[in-house]
Amino acid sequence: MYTIKTLNAISPAGLAKLPVNQFEVDNETTAPQGILVRSADMHDMPLPDSLLAIARAGAGTNNIPIEECTNAGIVVFNTPGANANAVKELTLAGLLLASRDIIGGVEWVKELKPGETSVAKQVEKGKSQFVGPEIQGKTLAVMGLGAIGVLVANAAATLGMKVIGYDPFISVENAWALSTTIQRATSLDAMLAEADYVTVHIPLSDKTRNMIDEQVLAKMKPSAALLNFSRAELCDTAAVLAALQAGRLRKYVID
């Protein structure tokens, strides 16, 4: 019998996949053989001598001390693509939030009070302050064509967007999954210059940390919106904030 500890809430449907005659879930144990984790940071967590494996419910493993696990002989698993559709849907929501001031409109309506003019008439009169561009016909640049990037690219194309994808390391499987309408970018610079929206779907590593920096942002249109539904550390936050404040970037949407 193996004892499993969860560091984040794991769906009962997922835990039910563990054969009851082989595994037990005990979140109070200090000596688990296995750990299930989503976003909890394990870098400052002591690894018990009993630990044999860590399973990450997601693609990225940047919250797990990989080198320490390797030295200790602890196997680390991830689940690429497991939440791809959910992230795709969030990204599509981000596209709409970057186009229309939906959040601003919601907050504005909350403050409206019925008086001489009904709320409905106030809304009709004031809604024009929250207009924005349509995404149909606009150009979306997708950085990273893994499981999530492919789904985002295909969905955006279905919504009538011109989609350009960039991924020098795209797998054959993901290339087959791409819609034939997705254009291939051979140059990141050219793609960024053309894009109305840029969405980032790449893993975090020492090489990609802060890759969206001042130089990359300078290659984008001042009217462009940047979406990051991968890892916050992919973007240089200070550089993004400076670009927003200087009017060199229209919107930044991050989860």
Side-chain angles (χ1 to χ4, degrees):
M1 182 72 72
Y2 294 99
T3 302
I4 307 298
K5 184 172 186 175
T6 64
L7 301 185
N8 298 102
I10 304 295
S11 169
L15 294 177
K17 298 290 185 180
L18 299 172
V20 294
N21 62 331
Q22 292 179 281
F23 300 94
E24 64 174 353
V25 178
D26 181 358
N27 291 332
E28 302 302 321
T29 183
T30 58
Q33 281 82 50
I35 287 178
L36 293 177
V37 61
R38 291 173 60 202
S39 58
D41 189 347
M42 296 186 62
H43 285 279
D44 295 325
M45 172 185 168
L47 301 176
D49 295 336
S50 60
L51 191 60
L52 301 175
I54 299 171
R56 161 80 165 95
T61 56
N62 55 292
N63 58 324
I64 300 171
I66 299 297
E67 185 174 353
E68 187 178 348
C69 289
T70 300
N71 294 335
I74 299 169
V75 181
V76 176
F77 300 92
N78 67 343
T79 54
N83 63 343
N85 187 71
V87 179
K88 175 206 75 176
E89 293 181 359
L90 281 174
T91 303
L92 294 178
L95 274 171
L96 298 175
L97 290 173
S99 299
R100 312 291 180 94
D101 187 10
I102 297 171
I103 295 176
V106 170
E107 294 302 319
W108 176 70
V109 168
K110 286 180 180 179
E111 300 300 320
L112 296 180
K113 305 293 183 184
E116 293 184 6
T117 305
S118 68
V119 169
K121 288 185 177 180
Q122 293 178 62
V123 169
E124 187 64 30
K125 183 178 180 180
K127 65 182 182 182
S128 61
Q129 61 188 303
F130 304 105
V131 298
E134 296 181 354
I135 63 173
Q136 184 174 351
K138 301 299 190 301
T139 299
L140 173 67
V142 182
M143 294 178 61
L145 293 169
I148 296 170
V150 167
L151 291 180
V152 170
N154 290 346
T158 301
L159 292 173
M161 301 188 77
K162 174 184 176 182
V163 183
I164 308 174
Y166 179 80
D167 191 336
F169 309 105
I170 186 172
S171 70
V172 173
E173 181 180 358
N174 287 336
W176 275 107
L178 272 177
S179 166
T180 56
T181 63
I182 310 303
Q183 298 183 23
R184 176 192 175 196
T186 56
S187 164
L188 179 60
D189 290 358
M191 182 180 76
L192 292 174
E194 185 178 351
D196 300 301
Y197 303 84
V198 177
T199 183
V200 183
H201 300 287
I202 57 179
L204 178 66
S205 67
D206 290 339
K207 291 183 178 180
T208 60
R209 189 179 303 275
N210 289 329
M211 70 171 294
I212 309 298
D213 57 13
E214 183 178 358
Q215 288 71 33
V216 170
L217 292 167
K219 296 169 184 175
M220 295 169 56
K221 297 178 181 179
S223 59
L226 175 64
L227 289 81
N228 181 5
F229 287 84
S230 292
R231 294 289 183 268
E233 294 84 358
L234 291 170
C235 296
D236 182 334
T237 302
V240 171
L241 181 59
L244 288 168
Q245 293 174 336
R248 292 182 279 106
L249 182 68
R250 183 172 59 83
K251 292 280 187 179
Y252 180 47
V253 184
I254 183 172
D255 64 340

